[in-house]
Amino acid sequence: EIKAFQEYYPEHLSHCYGCGTMNEHGYQIKTYWDGEETVTRYKPRLYQTAIPGFVYGGLLASLIDCHGTGSASAAMYKKEGRAMDTEPSFRFLTGTLNVRYIKPTPIDCELELRGTVREVKGKKAIVDVKVIAKGEVTATGEVVTILVPDKYIQEISNG
């Protein structure tokens, strides 16, 4: 069975509300390669609503964000020719997130996020993401991510 990008994150990097496998209250999204694109599927919960029948925009932004950082990590491993379970780990955090809401996103269906890695250069990766509901693009995002050394994340998480 193919593991999701997020399933390769070390334990101390697995608490994110959007993508952390150890956050029992979070979305726990799972992102995979699909050819040259990355894909995540997520079924919104009824309470994640803006107006009846439609998804809250903040949910879309956070899904785009976590899809983008996971895609950036996978892209860096791919660029370096390394397996995702090798050390040191590549973990990207969001530097800039731009979201464009195109049309209301229905809540009664599975959402598909598709990412295209536009650039991996130095410590920066840029991922373009589309949110698709019922075959239509309802939002797009640009996620500019920054590679953060694992040592730094351990330092800040330990206070």
Side-chain angles (χ1 to χ4, degrees):
E1 183 179 324
I2 297 173
K3 288 172 65 170
F5 303 159
Q6 294 83 1
E7 294 173 304
Y8 289 101
Y9 294 174
E11 185 175 316
H12 66 279
L13 298 177
S14 298
H15 298 276
C16 174
Y17 186 77
C19 60
T21 57
M22 298 188 69
N23 189 328
E24 65 184 79
H25 303 289
Y27 310 150
Q28 296 186 354
I29 68 165
K30 292 181 176 18
T31 308
Y32 304 90
W33 285 112
D34 183 14
E36 290 300 307
E37 289 185 315
T38 56
V39 65
T40 295
R41 290 181 174 79
Y42 182 80
K43 176 67 174 95
R45 294 154 178 108
L46 290 178
Y47 59 81
Q48 295 170 322
T49 190
I51 56 174
F54 297 96
V55 173
Y56 161 64
L59 170 67
L60 299 177
S62 61
L63 290 172
I64 290 169
D65 182 12
C66 285
H67 180 88
T69 57
S71 298
S73 177
M76 181 62 93
Y77 279 104
K78 191 177 198 179
K79 179 182 177 188
E80 296 290 317
R82 289 180 38 202
M84 288 192 72
D85 60 354
T86 59
E87 295 290 331
S89 61
F90 291 132
R91 186 66 171 111
F92 284 79
L93 300 178
T94 305
T96 306
L97 174 64
N98 293 307
V99 178
R100 182 170 166 246
Y101 299 97
I102 298 168
K103 63 189 308 182
T105 302
I107 202 166
D108 65 345
C109 63
E110 182 178 73
L111 305 179
E112 179 178 80
L113 287 88
R114 291 222 157 245
T116 303
V117 179
R118 186 188 330 157
E119 174 183 311
V120 179
K121 187 175 182 182
K123 294 182 177 183
K124 179 173 85 171
I126 302 172
V127 182
D128 296 309
V129 181
K130 295 184 287 194
V131 177
I132 302 164
K134 298 182 178 180
E136 293 190 62
V137 176
T138 62
T140 60
E142 175 194 65
V143 189
V144 179
T145 65
I146 308 301
L147 178 63
V148 178
D150 191 51
K151 177 182 164 194
Y152 177 73
I153 293 173
Q154 286 183 14
E155 286 174 13
I156 60 173
S157 63
N158 291 332

